[in-house]
Amino acid sequence: MVEVAGKPKNAGAVDAGAVRAKYRQERDKRIRADGLAQYVQMTGSFERYLDDPWAARIEREPVSDEVEVALIGGGFAGLIVGARLREAGVRDIRIIDKAADFGGTWYWNRYPGAACDTESYIYMPFLEETGYIPKEKYAKAPEIFAHCRRIATHYDLYRNALLQTRVTELRWDDDAQMWIISTDRNDRFRSKFVCVAIGPLSYPKLPGIPGIETFKGHSFHASRWDYAYTGGNSYGNLTRLLDKSVAIIGTGATAIQCVPQVGASAGRLFVFQRTPSTIGVRDNRPTDPAWARSLEPGWQKLRMENFSTIQDGGTVEENLVDDGFTELSWRALQWRRAHGSEVGSEAMASALEQIDLERMEELRGRVEAVVKDPRTAEALKPYYRYFCKRPGFSDEYLQTFNRPNVVLVDTNGRGVERITEHEVVANGTAYAVDCIIFASGFEWGTALERRAGFPIFGRGGGSLSDRWRDGIRTYFGMHAHGFPNCFILNKEQVGLRANMPHTFHIQSQHVSYVVQYAQQNGVMVLDASEQAEEEWVQHVLDSSHITREYLESCTPSRDNNEGHPNDRLSRQNGYYDPGVMAYAALLEDWRRDGTLAGLDIRR
């Protein structure tokens, strides 16, 4: 990690200037004029990529009643908020989700090899409350999905839920002081409160490759894996691919997990890469029963807070999780300890860059050590700062490119050129394939209403999309002025790091407190004041250390508008930069004050 004197290992071995130049060169070749518009919305002929392969549709009669709280989304966000509301004594809850069961991302993502890449002991919610300990450090998808259902059962969230139901509109009724919720099942019911808890990983992303609609072979999105075609299950053994030539488009988190499974079974696998991911050591292992028995009450919260504190750049005595997400911050903490608390910001920034450079050199060295073919190895080396893209971890992905049936098609940053009736074309070469698997993940930086799939109309009929056209405006990242009794749980303007459920826990405490306050004090309407919203937006901007220079230094990704950063908009539509723990403390102070400051109240 860090030597006793506080100097990072191999300091000076990396030529920072040369590496920065290489980063810029690799970044520039990946810039596209269309930015986020390169991804197509799944409507019309593309709508089939959204079909549910896991459950047949169950018919039911439309619902036209009234509830206290409607939660839109049955993934982690909806489950955590629903559980906290139950703990606060709120009984009249309805969760609506287009899936046939709870789980959100973990309902849809059942591709072979799917697992969490954040440690399961901090990632899977309510382990203590449900009495469950994950089987491994990084739980696999079936176990996580089962735990989602365990939470829903434990907190009685199946009752009154509307599953296999897609919300089509949220509209505030000024006269009734209620939300009217419409769905694709012809439901039209009212709710005093609504919580949009779809999470940022809810709408599959499909690349708009020319000719994509002309392909006559088989194709599907990895979040809707077609086991009827591939055979096997979430653990692999894809026997029906033995005589097939398969293309996987995408080399992000999904591909890192499913490429080894497909490569082990397919007759031929072509992996089309635009930008390589970092591939750190996974080192998954079974849970130690003795360790599990030693855990004391409150252990999960402490572990989550330890992880988030380290990622936030805070000070702790021990790195409990000790993984690839905390590694750079932990090295930086050791450097600060060695150099004293009076170290200047310029020296700290220089040290952070050096630590980052060295970590990336280590990862590029790992590629070279694992991948046998030198040209393939060179193409798999990532050239950007560590957190410019979400880090990846695997002990199988790089090794898969040593298989004789697996070919890496590196597009030198340009991506796939086009798709024909039977081929994928890249670098001027056509690759005949029987099947295309789009491992392109979920939309992240697109508008909330696009990802949600429905419009939200507030007071006076104004839409949220219109109000946010020039940048997201919230109070605490959850309230929007003019949209009363509405909570929006998303990634913007909140403290967020690699463990997203921790943020959901923090937000859920806020939601349950406000709803319980309203119930106990006869409050009919709560709306963020315009002033409170303006002050929060300005606080988010003032607290942000994101610079245009940093955003432009990164390879195109979901975090920098695919290489077209707007520094003010990126800061306004980004995270609450002080971090998860600062965000939690701020909301705790707000609740302790007890006046609901910043919310206009009508009884």
Side-chain angles (χ1 to χ4, degrees):
M1 289 281 190
V2 176
E3 295 175 358
V4 175
K7 190 176 183 181
K9 280 185 179 179
N10 305 318
V14 181
D15 184 340
V19 175
R20 284 193 211 105
K22 176 68 171 175
Y23 285 5
R24 171 68 68 170
Q25 177 189 13
E26 292 296 318
R27 171 197 176 275
D28 288 349
K29 70 173 65 170
R30 289 170 170 81
I31 299 294
R32 293 174 49 135
D34 49 2
L36 286 172
Q38 66 189 271
Y39 302 106
V40 298
Q41 196 156 9
M42 295 189 193
T43 58
S45 61
F46 298 123
E47 195 168 4
R48 68 181 181 85
Y49 288 106
L50 294 174
D51 290 346
D52 186 347
W54 314 122
R57 179 182 169 96
I58 297 175
E59 299 299 331
R60 63 169 177 79
E61 292 298 314
V63 171
S64 57
D65 57 5
E66 185 176 304
V67 295
E68 182 78 4
V69 184
L71 297 173
I72 301 168
F76 274 0
L79 284 167
I80 292 171
V81 173
R84 293 300 183 208
L85 288 169
R86 284 281 193 251
E87 289 176 348
V90 181
R91 307 310 304 166
D92 193 10
I93 301 169
R94 169 171 290 152
I95 295 183
I96 309 103
D97 198 288
K98 61 189 175 184
D101 209 334
F102 288 95
T105 295
W106 297 106
Y107 174 87
W108 300 109
N109 273 346
R110 308 191 201 184
Y111 57 82
C116 59
D117 56 8
T118 305
E119 186 194 68
S120 58
Y121 313 127
I122 63 170
Y123 180 75
M124 294 170 68
F126 301 118
L127 293 178
E128 288 188 79
E129 291 85 348
T130 59
Y132 185 75
I133 297 292
K135 298 174 183 176
E136 298 173 283
K137 185 174 177 69
Y138 299 101
K140 295 180 175 62
E143 184 179 8
I144 302 172
F145 178 38
H147 186 62
C148 291
R149 289 177 287 171
R150 182 180 295 111
I151 293 168
T153 300
H154 183 84
Y155 286 101
D156 190 26
L157 297 176
Y158 280 102
R159 176 166 54 88
N160 212 24
L162 296 179
L163 300 173
Q164 290 189 321
T165 301
R166 182 174 60 84
V167 171
T168 55
E169 180 185 275
L170 287 183
R171 186 176 291 272
W172 175 255
D173 186 327
D174 282 311
D175 295 328
Q177 297 184 341
M178 301 278 283
W179 283 94
I180 300 173
I181 300 162
S182 303
T183 79
D184 64 346
R185 296 295 197 113
N186 296 318
D187 305 309
R188 186 178 169 84
F189 61 93
R190 304 194 304 178
S191 181
K192 181 176 178 180
F193 292 96
V194 296
C195 181
V196 181
I198 60 166
L201 300 175
S202 58
Y203 190 84
K205 185 167 63 178
L206 188 67
I209 301 169
I212 185 174
E213 73 283 354
T214 67
F215 185 65
K216 291 188 175 180
H218 198 73
S219 66
F220 55 87
H221 193 276
S223 68
R224 307 293 193 272
W225 197 273
D226 189 351
Y227 284 108
Y229 181 85
T230 68
N233 54 36
S234 293
Y235 301 101
N237 196 30
L238 312 178
T239 54
R240 294 184 182 178
L241 294 181
L242 293 176
D243 61 345
K244 299 290 192 298
S245 181
V246 179
I248 290 181
I249 297 178
T251 52
T254 299
I256 291 169
Q257 295 184 342
C258 73
V259 160
Q261 306 295 332
V262 178
S265 297
R268 193 77 162 160
L269 171 60
F270 299 100
V271 180
F272 290 84
Q273 172 184 274
R274 182 171 68 174
T275 305
S277 291
T278 58
I279 310 295
V281 173
R282 176 73 158 178
D283 193 26
N284 194 17
R285 51 192 181 273
T287 299
D288 179 1
W291 171 81
R293 287 193 300 270
S294 73
L295 296 173
E296 297 180 355
W299 70 268
Q300 189 178 31
K301 183 174 185 289
L302 286 173
R303 199 173 183 89
M304 283 195 295
E305 290 177 347
N306 177 271
F307 178 88
S308 294
T309 298
I310 294 171
Q311 280 216 305
D312 287 347
T315 300
V316 295
E317 294 304 314
E318 183 182 4
N319 185 349
L320 294 176
V321 174
D322 192 19
D323 67 349
F325 286 116
T326 57
E327 184 171 3
L328 263 64
S329 296
W330 186 248
R331 291 187 189 189
L333 173 59
Q334 302 299 85
W335 187 92
R336 290 201 311 272
R337 282 176 170 155
H339 286 74
S341 58
E342 301 304 316
V343 65
S345 59
E346 188 174 333
M348 188 70 235
S350 177
L352 287 173
E353 183 183 22
Q354 187 68 17
I355 290 168
D356 194 296
L357 288 170
E358 289 162 5
R359 178 58 183 149
M360 293 301 292
E361 281 292 295
E362 291 167 5
L363 291 167
R364 289 188 284 268
R366 183 179 186 229
V367 175
E368 205 166 87
V370 171
V371 179
K372 296 176 181 177
D373 178 64
R375 289 187 62 186
T376 301
E378 190 58 36
L380 285 165
K381 292 179 182 178
Y383 285 96
Y384 45 80
R385 293 191 69 162
Y386 188 62
F387 282 109
C388 281
K389 290 176 66 71
R390 185 175 177 88
F393 309 95
S394 176
D395 295 331
E396 301 172 297
Y397 179 77
L398 295 175
Q399 292 82 347
T400 300
F401 294 99
N402 292 327
R403 289 181 175 273
N405 64 316
V406 178
V407 177
L408 176 71
V409 182
D410 179 56
T411 66
N412 198 26
R414 293 186 294 268
V416 171
E417 294 172 24
R418 66 183 187 278
I419 294 173
T420 69
E421 292 184 354
H422 301 288
E423 299 162 324
V424 178
V425 182
N427 306 327
T429 301
Y431 299 85
V433 296
D434 301 299
C435 175
I436 300 175
I437 301 170
F438 294 101
S440 41
F442 294 86
E443 293 196 6
W444 179 268
T446 50
L448 172 67
E449 290 188 1
R450 169 170 165 148
R451 285 180 280 121
F454 57 84
I456 304 173
F457 298 102
R459 278 189 170 141
S463 75
L464 188 64
S465 59
D466 284 343
R467 191 152 194 282
W468 284 1
R469 194 171 303 280
D470 298 321
I472 288 169
R473 305 187 62 80
T474 74
Y475 181 42
F476 293 148
M478 289 180 278
H479 305 276
H481 174 68
F483 296 81
N485 292 11
C486 179
F487 306 92
I488 299 169
L489 271 63
N490 207 35
K491 65 182 179 64
E492 289 85 8
Q493 300 186 355
V494 302
L496 181 65
R497 301 298 185 204
N499 188 28
M500 196 174 296
H502 191 185
T503 299
F504 292 152
H505 278 291
I506 294 163
Q507 292 176 304
S508 69
Q509 290 176 297
H510 177 85
V511 174
S512 62
Y513 175 86
V514 172
V515 171
Q516 188 177 37
Y517 180 98
Q519 287 184 330
Q520 293 175 351
N521 293 276
V523 174
M524 293 301 297
V525 178
L526 304 110
D527 190 11
S529 72
E530 202 163 6
Q531 179 182 348
E533 183 183 75
E534 175 60 31
E535 289 175 354
W536 179 252
V537 171
Q538 193 58 49
H539 181 55
V540 169
L541 289 168
D542 292 343
S543 301
S544 176
H545 295 95
I546 296 174
T547 64
R548 187 178 187 87
E549 289 74 22
Y550 172 76
L551 292 168
E552 287 186 340
S553 74
C554 281
T555 191
S557 73
R558 65 191 191 184
D559 289 326
N560 68 352
N561 194 34
E562 292 295 337
H564 298 273
N566 175 322
D567 55 342
R568 188 189 191 284
L569 196 61
S570 295
R571 288 184 291 127
Q572 184 172 332
N573 289 5
Y575 314 142
Y576 178 58
D577 209 30
V580 178
M581 299 309 297
Y583 181 65
L586 186 148
L587 289 177
E588 285 172 8
D589 288 343
W590 183 86
R591 291 194 298 272
R592 195 176 296 114
D593 175 69
T595 64
L596 271 66
L599 295 181
D600 291 333
I601 296 173
R602 186 189 307 168
R603 288 180 167 83

